[in-house]
Amino acid sequence: MSIESIDGCIGCGICVKTCPTDVIRMDPVTNKAIIKYPADCQICHLCRMYCPVDAITISPEKSIPVIVSWG
Amino acid sequence: MGMIMENRIRLYNGIAAAAIFLGLPILFFVLGDFPERSILKNGLSLLTIIAFCMMLAQFYLARSNKNILKAHKMGKIVKYHKFIGYTFIAILFFHPFLIMLPRYFEAGVDPIDAFTTIITTFDSTGVILGIIAWCLMLVIGISSLIRNNMGMTYKTWRVFHGILSIAFLVIASWHVIDLGRHINSSMTIYIIILAGIGILLLLKTYFIKSSKPSGETK
Amino acid sequence: MSRRKFMGLAGGALGMAAIASMGVAGWAANKLEIDPEALEYLENETDVLIIGGGMAGLFAAVKAHDAGAKTLMVSKGRLGSSGETPFAKGIFAYDPSTTEMSLDEFTDGVSRSAIGTNNPIYTRQMAEHSLDRVNELREWGFFDSALYNKSFSKPIEERNIDLLERIVITNLIKENGKICGAAGFSLDEEKVYIFKAKSVVLCTGAGGFKPNGFPICDLTHDGTIMAYNIGAKVTGKEWNDGHPGQATNSAACFDGWHGMFERVPSVESVGIRHDLGVDLNYMAYTNGNPVQMGPPGASESKKVVGGPYVPAEFSQRGPDKHDDGPKDGPKDGKHPRGGKPGEGGKDGEAGSPPGMGGVSVGGSSAGMAIHKSEGLVPINDKCESTIPGLFAAGDALGSYMAGAIYTQIGSSLAGSAVQGGIAGKAAAEYSADKKIPNISKTKIKEIKEEMLAPLHRTEGYSPAWVTQTLQGIMIPNFIIYIKKEGLLKAALAYIEELRDHHIPMLKAADLHELRLAHETVNMITTAEMKLKASILRTESRCSHYRLDYPETDKENWQAWINIFKGEDGRMKFEKQAFDSWPASGKPLEYI
């Protein structure tokens, strides 16, 4: 399902800012990025490309079937 | 007969050491539920993990572990200790830069910018710990190289080296557990147990031994 | 237990919130995560307020600052990393020293391809200034990285331009007939912002219905609808961007673009086309699935009769690359009638082998019109809107720079840069002799209440569900692309239901959902505009195709459709003749 995991996060917060759809937030307890709103991930990979430690894994699948114009 | 026995113990010790310090981490790496990554990235990760485990192993390749190493000649152990120390400190020296290496082969953030971001994320405990551990490691490595020029007695050197090593291991383990990409519960427990025992063994040689004489006088 | 799970447990309440937010529940009590009463309230003052941090916003901020205005830039996302800009990889530059075509010839060519729908003044302006903007971008390092934040930050930091990121602007504020600022809230801190500004430049892009397969899910026509709400005229809602997506993993825009997002940008030269219309949609409508792009010529076996008209001059597709990033469509699956599909992706990268597109599905950019054909109606060539002090640039401005069909690869990015610069400078000049406006307390209170209303609702509908329902109504091929009156009206009935009954009941539990609630309202208003404008335009032209009016009507429809809010609060429409600036004429009656 879209953005899958964040492994080895250093807590710089860049992904939070970088995500156009506001999927990622900082966990106030661990001070690390968490995937808070996965349903809104548009699978654009900006967070992954901007992450300084390449911590983010994204898959092309979306858990909810999406609406297209024909099928 | 004794020679054969000792050879066998040495062999078993060697196998056990390889299993504990090489086999287990590789096993955790392979069996762990980690995202798929490129060969280069996985290779670098594995190298780093092994290098860290070799630092753990150093605590067992020392006089503090005399009981188990009875069958070995200390001179040889010290040789291994030195070889492993210099080799893997050299590798871990590059660890902060090796994280960036794959970025040179893919689109995304500029590796130098990424590096700057990492080492300036001061509100991250893991990063601070990592920087301190890296510096300590360098001090350990360099002081070992120039030990003879430092004019320390062997006893002072041992305490100096031991305390630095304990500080390094505690901070490095904390860093690894906090930030490690391939940290899961098995890896965490493994590190805590091995670091804990290693440090206790070393502390034992300093405190329990030195306190013994005073106890006897009473 | 993995570390992730462990952290999830440690996160405790947060984790639960994440799970709750994932559910797309139709009706549920609103469990608030924040205290709407405790939100901090901040006021800012500036000469020129730039809303949006993409290509247009960048140049608007730089040029407003350089013209001497105190400039503040505010963005829902991060500079260079939100909207469509981060994914646009081609930028057009008209270089007079290497181009044989004159500026006039270029403009005329675009007009012919656009069947008169372009505004030649903006077409020419884009080409004329493109090289200067490209050169500035090159200086800032734009062409050195696939990621734009660094190069965009350079001129902003050098000039010390104030920048506020992750602030969702929800309202434009107009008093005494003039713009006087904007209001919004922060996504990260519990703060409400009021910006008092002498002038505002909307660089908010266009939008869609959060379609899957296109990286525009943060673009929901926010700027357009905010401006409409304070009385600005907007245009272009009947046009469509016909980008298809891939059938497998349709949601994965990164994968669907075969690694293009990872490319560094490049400069495009002159090549006038007639792209991004709805011909593939027509093909899918008449022939059914699968709409598969084969090698050149393969699709000849299934001839399609009728469909959108393409001027003969532009129907022959050249072998040139077609790789302007999402602004120009996936390289595969775009040329329906015997055209040559562009190069595919790199080998082994999620999808089709080079030269062979996979199975396509429509609607990956659903809700979006052709670049720069929708948005605020300009009253002159300075990107000025019908509201004094309010400017717009880039996709937020209905400049018709390319017309109602995409005519020049890379011109969308170039146009945003050029218009941003012009709008920024014009806004600074407008602000020069103005005072910081005063916004009345009642107005601020009213706006705050409206902004935070979804947080105060204990019961209602989740924005995610309403959006999904909206997508189900609007995205089908037979509604938004291959249009006929009956179905447009049927869809309109649904949209009016969402407008009248669901907008007033949108609820939000936290600031993320509050953002979604506002986005949902903007999309619903856009849907109403799109359906009504599509019903009104009883002809087919460029990217607007009516099955019941398949011909181009050059007698009655040499005109754009402007939309504005009437005194009674209802949506009103007017025709504005091509080649003219807006004049207050008699509104068209919408049946």
Side-chain angles (χ1 to χ4, degrees):
Chain A
M1 42 150 251
S2 49
I3 177 165
E4 279 191 334
S5 66
I6 306 177
D7 303 280
C9 171
I10 58 165
C12 69
I14 286 177
C15 58
V16 177
K17 280 167 95 181
T18 295
C19 174
T21 49
D22 189 29
V23 168
I24 311 169
R25 290 300 181 92
M26 293 303 280
D27 184 330
V29 180
T30 61
N31 199 25
K32 287 181 185 192
I34 50 164
I35 303 163
K36 192 162 180 203
Y37 307 100
D40 292 319
C41 175
Q42 62 173 354
I43 320 183
C44 70
H45 288 229
L46 277 184
C47 58
R48 178 184 65 74
M49 288 195 272
Y50 271 99
C51 174
V53 291
D54 193 17
I56 299 170
T57 309
I58 303 165
S59 77
E61 292 96 28
K62 194 120 182 169
S63 49
I64 309 163
V66 302
I67 292 160
V68 292
S69 286
W70 61 80
Chain B
M1 210 39 199
M3 273 297 279
I4 293 168
M5 190 63 180
E6 284 200 338
N7 276 341
R8 198 170 281 174
I9 291 171
R10 281 205 287 268
L11 179 68
Y12 289 161
N13 276 348
I15 292 170
I20 292 171
F21 295 106
L22 214 56
L24 276 179
I26 294 174
L27 197 71
F28 294 146
F29 181 86
V30 174
L31 296 183
D33 174 27
F34 304 118
E36 271 176 51
R37 307 184 85 222
S38 70
I39 294 172
L40 173 66
K41 288 177 186 176
N42 273 335
L44 289 174
S45 292
L46 199 55
L47 181 70
T48 313
I49 291 170
I50 290 170
F52 174 73
C53 291
M54 288 299 128
M55 290 291 116
L56 276 174
Q58 288 291 73
F59 280 75
Y60 298 86
L61 279 173
R63 271 178 224 282
S64 51
N65 194 21
K66 259 200 305 223
N67 285 344
I68 289 174
L69 300 177
K70 257 186 274 183
H72 303 259
K73 283 198 190 94
M74 246 332 134
K76 211 141 200 197
I77 294 294
V78 169
K79 234 183 216 169
Y80 288 141
H81 186 93
K82 277 187 179 169
F83 174 76
I84 288 176
Y86 291 138
T87 310
F88 289 99
I89 284 180
I91 288 171
L92 288 176
F93 172 82
F94 291 106
H95 161 61
F97 315 108
L98 287 181
I99 300 175
M100 304 304 126
L101 184 66
R103 283 289 200 216
Y104 280 100
F105 309 109
E106 59 186 30
V109 66
D110 176 67
I112 295 163
D113 293 341
F115 185 74
T116 316
T117 306
I118 293 174
I119 58 161
T120 53
T121 305
F122 294 129
D123 50 356
S124 160
T125 331
V127 168
I128 301 290
L129 291 169
I131 294 171
I132 297 173
W134 187 81
C135 295
L136 281 173
M137 186 187 75
L138 284 194
V139 174
I140 294 172
I142 293 165
S143 63
S144 304
L145 271 175
I146 59 163
R147 172 181 144 193
N148 293 334
N149 305 330
M150 290 202 301
M152 281 186 196
T153 62
Y154 176 65
K155 234 178 159 180
T156 323
W157 160 253
R158 247 178 59 176
V159 175
F160 173 78
H161 190 70
I163 288 174
L164 277 182
S165 303
I166 290 172
F168 164 74
L169 192 64
V170 170
I171 293 170
S173 301
W174 191 355
H175 162 78
V176 167
I177 291 167
D178 187 38
L179 287 192
R181 180 190 295 277
H182 296 92
I183 275 291
N184 52 23
S185 39
S186 340
M187 205 78 116
T188 308
I189 294 166
Y190 166 85
I191 291 170
I192 290 174
I193 289 177
L194 285 183
I197 296 174
I199 290 168
L200 283 178
L201 281 175
L202 190 55
L203 289 177
K204 204 181 93 185
T205 57
Y206 292 154
F207 294 107
I208 299 182
K209 244 190 181 167
S210 55
S211 65
K212 243 183 196 168
S214 58
E216 275 164 4
T217 49
K218 273 179 190 170
Chain C
M1 188 167 72
S2 73
R3 179 162 156 275
R4 234 172 289 147
K5 281 183 196 149
F6 172 75
M7 280 176 48
L9 283 176
L14 262 178
M16 286 306 288
I19 291 161
S21 69
M22 280 167 70
V24 185
W27 190 97
N30 193 16
K31 291 200 183 78
L32 275 184
E33 295 267 306
I34 58 161
D35 179 7
E37 305 299 334
L39 288 179
E40 204 184 322
Y41 168 81
L42 294 167
E43 272 186 29
N44 279 270
E45 286 183 3
T46 187
D47 293 347
V48 180
L49 177 70
I50 313 287
I51 306 177
M55 186 55 89
L58 170 73
F59 276 100
V62 165
K63 298 298 173 189
H65 174 275
D66 290 355
K70 182 174 188 279
T71 305
L72 169 67
M73 188 184 208
V74 53
S75 170
K76 181 156 88 169
R78 187 186 191 206
L79 181 62
S81 171
S82 61
E84 275 203 272
T85 296
F87 312 102
K89 299 296 179 182
I91 181 162
F92 170 66
Y94 175 87
D95 185 346
S97 65
T98 57
T99 316
E100 279 176 31
M101 201 182 263
S102 73
L103 270 180
D104 289 332
E105 283 165 349
F106 172 77
T107 309
D108 289 347
V110 167
S111 299
R112 286 198 304 279
S113 172
I115 320 176
T117 56
N118 69 316
N119 180 334
I121 291 167
Y122 276 104
T123 309
R124 198 191 148 95
Q125 180 191 68
M126 179 275 296
E128 196 179 347
H129 297 273
S130 55
L131 186 63
D132 289 343
R133 298 294 87 81
V134 164
N135 286 337
E136 279 169 306
L137 284 168
R138 183 169 285 119
E139 224 173 89
W140 301 333
F142 177 70
F143 296 100
D144 302 335
S145 171
L147 302 177
Y148 303 163
N149 178 260
K150 191 183 176 185
S151 53
F152 277 30
S153 298
K154 193 169 183 266
I156 300 293
E157 280 166 9
E158 279 171 357
R159 288 167 175 77
N160 239 335
I161 295 171
D162 291 325
L163 170 66
L164 285 170
E165 292 170 327
R166 286 172 63 76
I167 308 282
V168 182
I169 299 293
T170 57
N171 293 72
L172 289 172
I173 308 171
K174 185 181 83 172
E175 284 203 305
N176 307 319
K178 282 188 294 198
I179 196 81
C180 54
F185 62 90
S186 160
L187 284 169
D188 299 304
E189 304 156 307
E190 295 174 7
K191 284 178 185 165
V192 170
Y193 285 85
I194 301 283
F195 299 99
K196 291 180 180 173
K198 295 173 183 172
S199 62
V200 173
V201 187
L202 283 178
C203 302
T204 41
F209 302 124
K210 292 186 182 280
N212 281 287
F214 223 63
I216 54 169
C217 292
D218 57 336
L219 289 171
T220 45
H221 303 279
D222 305 341
T224 310
I225 304 304
M226 285 190 280
Y228 164 80
N229 283 335
I230 59 163
K233 284 181 180 170
V234 306
T235 188
K237 291 300 175 183
E238 68 273 39
W239 315 114
N240 280 310
D241 176 303
H243 270 110
Q246 53 180 16
T248 323
N249 290 328
S250 318
C253 58
F254 176 87
D255 306 82
W257 287 83
H258 306 294
M260 190 179 295
F261 295 177
E262 295 188 307
R263 262 185 29 196
V264 294
S266 54
V267 179
E268 305 284 345
S269 50
V270 171
I272 301 168
R273 316 171 64 99
H274 187 93
D275 277 350
L276 305 188
V278 293
D279 1 48
L280 191 71
N281 300 70
Y282 182 78
M283 188 177 165
Y285 184 80
T286 47
N287 287 353
N289 239 359
V291 187
Q292 184 156 16
M293 298 319 301
S299 50
E300 300 285 5
S301 55
K302 248 187 178 180
K303 260 261 163 28
V304 183
V305 182
Y309 163 75
V310 178
E313 188 188 343
F314 304 98
S315 63
Q316 295 298 317
R317 311 288 179 146
D320 25 345
K321 284 186 293 170
H322 191 245
D323 51 2
D324 186 19
K327 303 232 170 199
D328 272 67
K331 291 180 220 171
D332 52 325
K334 191 56 210 90
H335 306 288
R337 270 174 276 185
K340 179 177 173 154
E343 303 158 322
K346 276 183 255 163
D347 273 292
E349 270 197 67
S352 48
M356 279 282 286
V359 175
S360 299
V361 288
S364 90
S365 53
M368 192 167 82
I370 295 294
H371 291 289
K372 293 166 182 60
S373 69
E374 66 180 326
L376 272 63
V377 175
I379 57 163
N380 53 28
D381 61 350
K382 302 252 187 279
C383 307
E384 202 169 348
S385 80
T386 50
I387 292 180
L390 180 62
F391 298 76
D395 280 357
L397 182 71
S399 65
Y400 288 104
M401 176 204 85
I405 198 80
Y406 201 46
T407 41
Q408 166 65 53
I409 297 173
S411 67
S412 55
L413 204 50
S416 294
V418 168
Q419 292 178 2
I422 285 172
K425 186 163 175 269
E429 282 161 5
Y430 169 90
S431 305
D433 59 347
K434 305 279 186 304
K435 280 196 195 127
I436 295 278
N438 211 22
I439 306 172
S440 64
K441 284 226 164 66
T442 31
K443 187 89 188 173
I444 289 173
K445 189 167 173 277
E446 188 188 301
I447 285 172
K448 239 174 107 178
E449 269 167 21
E450 187 196 322
M451 181 193 299
L452 304 177
L455 287 172
H456 288 284
R457 288 185 191 118
T458 48
E459 292 161 341
Y461 299 101
S462 79
W465 175 76
V466 177
T467 292
Q468 214 177 35
T469 306
L470 170 76
Q471 290 171 335
I473 298 164
M474 291 301 292
I475 297 182
N477 205 23
F478 53 81
I479 300 293
I480 196 175
Y481 298 112
I482 307 304
K483 306 169 185 175
K484 43 183 185 267
E485 187 171 323
L487 276 166
L488 291 169
K489 284 188 166 164
L492 185 59
Y494 281 86
I495 296 302
E496 283 170 343
E497 169 65 17
L498 293 185
R499 178 195 70 194
D500 297 336
H501 186 69
H502 292 73
I503 287 180
M505 286 173 75
L506 282 169
K507 65 185 171 68
D510 58 19
L511 295 170
H512 176 83
E513 283 193 357
L514 185 61
R515 163 180 165 164
L516 294 183
H518 285 281
E519 290 179 336
T520 303
V521 175
N522 294 340
M523 287 188 284
I524 292 171
T525 313
T526 302
E528 185 185 348
M529 289 175 173
K530 285 196 85 70
L531 292 169
K532 287 183 171 173
S534 295
I535 294 168
L536 274 177
R537 192 167 201 105
T538 47
E539 66 150 0
S540 294
R541 192 191 292 251
C542 294
S543 57
H544 165 74
Y545 187 74
R546 284 282 297 259
L547 209 54
D548 44 359
Y549 295 94
E551 304 300 325
T552 303
D553 180 352
K554 292 199 168 168
E555 229 163 87
N556 301 300
W557 280 107
Q558 294 293 92
W560 298 302
I561 296 178
N562 294 343
I563 309 170
F564 59 97
K565 203 174 206 169
E567 302 273 301
D568 55 358
R570 286 168 56 118
M571 207 174 266
K572 296 280 196 304
F573 298 81
E574 66 176 17
K575 272 186 189 178
Q576 179 186 328
F578 294 155
D579 270 349
S580 77
W581 299 109
S584 39
K586 192 170 162 272
L588 281 178
E589 276 310 310
Y590 170 75
I591 326 99

